[in-house]
Amino acid sequence: MNPDRLLNAFLAFWRQHGQPLLGSAAYHEIAPHLVLIAFLHRVANGEGTLEREYAIGSGRMDLCLRYGAVTLGIELKVWRDGAPDPLAEGLVQLDGYLAGLGLDAGWLVIFDRRTGQPPIAERTSSVETRSPQDRHIRVVRA
């Protein structure tokens, strides 16, 4: 499994299908999480595993994708109306999660659910950054 190719495939999928999927979901707050989990389950199916840790009420969810020799730690955040950008908090949380997994790289996926945002295809992006503990983090804004 190549994490960069996986991310590019998810971003392409999200740009194409994210808006209609969110519009059809009965529970719109969890919909982005479910879409990413379903996408990753296709990858893990058979030879890998996808572990989920729900931090109920905290606005976060951790995922750990294991496939062959690759382990990928992922922190999911939702940016809601009236809340600050969850980037800084997410980087700190991901640092702790990655430390527990013994990893020095991971993904922070921020789903922007604020009203008045441009269409998903226009606002979805990915950039490389460093965490407070100097880990390599791919920040995805979707």
Side-chain angles (χ1 to χ4, degrees), residues 6-7 11-12 17 21 29 34 46 50 54 60-61 66 71 84 96 99-100 103 130 134 140:
L6 177 63
L7 178 61
L11 293 175
H17 302 292
L21 287 169
E29 286 297 317
L34 295 176
L50 182 62
Y54 304 97
R60 64 185 271 213
M61 180 188 302
R66 298 177 193 272
T71 301
L103 300 174
R130 305 293 282 198
D134 205 34
V140 176

Side-chain angles (χ1 to χ4, degrees), residues 50-63:
L50 182 62
E51 303 162 14
R52 296 168 299 279
E53 179 183 314
Y54 304 97
I56 304 297
S58 70
R60 64 185 271 213
M61 180 188 302
D62 301 325
L63 299 174

